[in-house]
Amino acid sequence: MRATGRVPKVEVTQSMHQPVSTPRFSIYYDYKVFPFQPPPELRGEQVRHPVTIVGAGPIGLVAALELARFGIPSVILTAERQVSEGSRALAYTRRSMEILQQVGVAERIARDGLPWQYGISFFRGEPVFHMDMGHDDDDRFFPATNLQQQYLEQYLIEQIEANPLVELRWASRVIGIDGHDDDGVTLRVDTPEGEYALRADWVIAADGARSTLRQALGLRMVGDSYQGRFVIADIRVKLPFETRRRAYFDPSWNPGNTVLMHRAPHDIWRIDYQLPAGETPEQALSRESLFARINEQLAMVGQAGVEWELDWCSVYSAYAMTLTDYVHGRIIFAGDAAHMLPIFGVRGANTGFQDANNLGWKLALVHRGLAPRTLLDTYSHERVAAAQEIVDEAGKSTRFMTPPTRGFRLLRDAVLSLTLTQPFVRPLLHWRTSRPHDYVTSPLNTRGDDDAMFEAGPRKGAVLRNIRLGEDDFLFDHLPAGFLVLDFCEDPAVAPEVVDVVQRWRDRGLPLSIVAVRRQPGEVAGADLTIAAGGTSMFDKYGANGLPAVYLVRPDQHVAARWRSVSGEGLDQALRTAMGAGSKEQCS
């Protein structure tokens, strides 16, 4: 057996910020070091940016591209000069892929990634639960797609390099806040050529779990941190297993603990294993410990003696925590800077993508003066509620994976023992995977619509359902950016009063389109786009089979209202509500 690789080293920075300037080690990914370009502020020029995003991880990059979809320029600051090290955010859910499609990278991820929908859990080497996350013919994307985070970041950066509205500043570390008032934010930025002050109307803090901006504002998260620690190791090895999530409870070589395995492209396998109590990260990452335990795991799955190579490894702790408010003046938090969630259930980056998708259109409309600042309060309302729901669910998963007390461990072990003989217990091993949050309590939802009259279709607050229109043609491939009036009808024209309301809002600058859906080909007068559903599937799944249906859809593809029949006045008021304004005076 041959095993090669290295354990990451700690880098020491100099007085002026000097990020690592040599490509990171990897046995499968070709790292590129990006150049530092001195910004105009270092030349003494005074520049004011509409939006500054701190952090060039997946969430910060997606947030910039979301803003660009609505015409808002941004500058991204990152302390690094290259993409992240290791597989990190590996599994992207169907909803994440739909969001990534909107910013232009989903096709490449689907092409290069490994799709999957199943999981299997073992107890003491015996399979005890098979999980199916569901997939049907109307789904463009699988429930999950595995691709290492480096590739995702690379694809997003390439999109940004081609977008004139986004500037990405490498080797630019935010070290503090020089000013923060109702007019904007001034950040202190350290670079290889010295410090400068950067002024922005708005700042999005997407600077990760150790957020400098969160610390600068003295903000604290609420929730739980768990004692269990995990080693995460990427190895290159050929194994005869399908792409599915594999969980091993109480394995022979790691009694009482848990091991996870995920397959990734380029023959990379991620192995996560829980550390015994009392073992330090330094001990766990020693070459002797790493190689011995990985060999034991491979032997347990019937692959003793197989050749493998180590690419990257780290240690992480499980957290289920969130800020109670994501909007603090003109600084807005997203991703791990706003919440820290366990990886069990692929929640981290996938939750952050939904943050960026929710925030982008709201900040764009507020910055352009089309919506009141109270619209940003609904970002916090909706996404904090989503995070708190995940904290509750993730807490259950985490306590099962890493029991915090002797009592929890006894209960967990009793459940696992029963799974060997009692099928009714096995669903308790379901990992409660990440899913899109339904904003059913959102203040942006219209009251008094016809939501309760529908027997099918995405309810108010839920995300739209994608539908297959052809062999390689889906509903989401056609939807324009902005608000949508989705009109299921067989009439030759959209109601004139609906067209009039839409035009008045568009005259004010609101991105708003009418999309008509018909069973058969043919244009609908007054619609910006007519979609031929090609049968009854879409009508059935939207509760419109044999009945008229009109949906008002937000720019993040969540339903704000739906009617059997809508008047111009009703649509007008629903749009005001969906933009965070309850009266005509606020929106005129």
Side-chain angles (χ1 to χ4, degrees), residues 281-335:
E282 292 75 18
Q283 292 170 330
L285 293 179
S286 69
R287 186 180 183 88
E288 180 182 52
S289 174
L290 273 170
F291 283 56
R293 285 168 171 171
I294 291 173
N295 283 333
E296 288 178 303
Q297 175 64 16
L298 292 173
M300 191 188 73
V301 299
Q303 301 297 306
V306 68
E307 292 189 354
W308 60 273
E309 297 175 273
L310 176 68
D311 182 74
W312 170 77
C313 61
S314 185
V315 172
Y316 67 88
S317 299
Y319 297 93
M321 308 180 75
T322 179
L323 293 174
T324 57
D325 190 349
Y326 294 169
V327 180
H328 294 265
R330 287 182 172 254
I331 300 176
I332 307 170
F333 290 82

Side-chain angles (χ1 to χ4, degrees), residues 59 62 89 91-93 95-96 99 321-322 326 333-336 338-342 344-359 379 382-391 394 432-437 439:
I59 311 311
V62 169
Y92 311 113
T93 65
R95 181 56 193 156
S96 291
I99 293 170
M321 308 180 75
T322 179
Y326 294 169
F333 290 82
D336 286 352
H339 43 69
M340 292 188 288
L341 305 171
F344 319 127
V346 293
R347 293 181 174 89
N350 291 294
T351 302
F353 293 141
Q354 294 176 52
D355 292 345
N357 188 231
N358 187 296
L359 175 60
Y379 163 70
E382 293 173 350
R383 296 310 301 159
V384 169
Q388 288 175 335
E389 179 182 283
I390 294 168
V391 164
R432 302 179 180 88
T433 185
S434 174
R435 63 180 185 278
H437 185 76
Y439 304 135

Side-chain angles (χ1 to χ4, degrees), residues 499-513:
V499 176
D500 289 345
V501 168
V502 168
Q503 189 58 52
R504 288 201 302 271
W505 279 94
R506 285 202 288 225
D507 290 343
R508 301 174 194 172
L510 183 70
L512 173 60
S513 303

Side-chain angles (χ1 to χ4, degrees), residues 24 50 76 80 172 180 245 280 283 323 367 418 422 487 491 493 516:
R24 290 179 167 134
I76 307 172
E80 302 292 342
S172 301
H180 182 200
R245 182 258 205 182
T280 66
Q283 292 170 330
L323 293 174
H367 181 75
L418 284 172
Q422 304 298 322
D487 188 0
D491 295 333

Side-chain angles (χ1 to χ4, degrees), residues 304-479:
V306 68
E307 292 189 354
W308 60 273
E309 297 175 273
L310 176 68
D311 182 74
W312 170 77
C313 61
S314 185
V315 172
Y316 67 88
S317 299
Y319 297 93
M321 308 180 75
T322 179
L323 293 174
T324 57
D325 190 349
Y326 294 169
V327 180
H328 294 265
R330 287 182 172 254
I331 300 176
I332 307 170
F333 290 82
D336 286 352
H339 43 69
M340 292 188 288
L341 305 171
I343 67 164
F344 319 127
V346 293
R347 293 181 174 89
N350 291 294
T351 302
F353 293 141
Q354 294 176 52
D355 292 345
N357 188 231
N358 187 296
L359 175 60
W361 68 273
K362 294 178 178 178
L363 183 54
L365 294 185
V366 170
H367 181 75
R368 291 169 57 188
L370 296 172
R373 282 185 60 170
T374 52
L375 182 62
L376 293 175
D377 295 334
T378 71
Y379 163 70
S380 188
H381 174 99
E382 293 173 350
R383 296 310 301 159
V384 169
Q388 288 175 335
E389 179 182 283
I390 294 168
V391 164
D392 291 341
E393 288 193 350
K396 296 173 186 176
S397 298
T398 304
R399 285 190 291 272
F400 197 87
M401 304 287 277
T402 61
T405 66
R406 182 173 179 273
F408 271 110
R409 181 171 294 277
L410 288 172
L411 180 61
R412 194 278 301 268
D413 292 347
V415 169
L416 288 170
S417 297
L418 284 172
T419 61
L420 295 173
T421 58
Q422 304 298 322
F424 79 93
V425 180
R426 293 169 185 168
L428 293 175
L429 272 64
H430 198 291
W431 59 327
R432 302 179 180 88
T433 185
S434 174
R435 63 180 185 278
H437 185 76
D438 288 355
Y439 304 135
V440 293
T441 64
S442 172
L444 303 185
N445 294 342
T446 293
R447 296 182 180 181
D449 63 351
D450 299 333
D451 187 57
M453 297 173 62
F454 283 75
E455 296 181 358
R459 63 176 177 169
K460 188 165 52 182
V463 71
L464 286 185
R465 176 76 165 87
N466 207 358
I467 299 291
R468 180 184 291 275
L469 303 175
E471 183 178 353
D472 188 30
D473 187 23
F474 291 80
L475 173 65
F476 285 9
D477 300 347
H478 301 275
L479 300 182

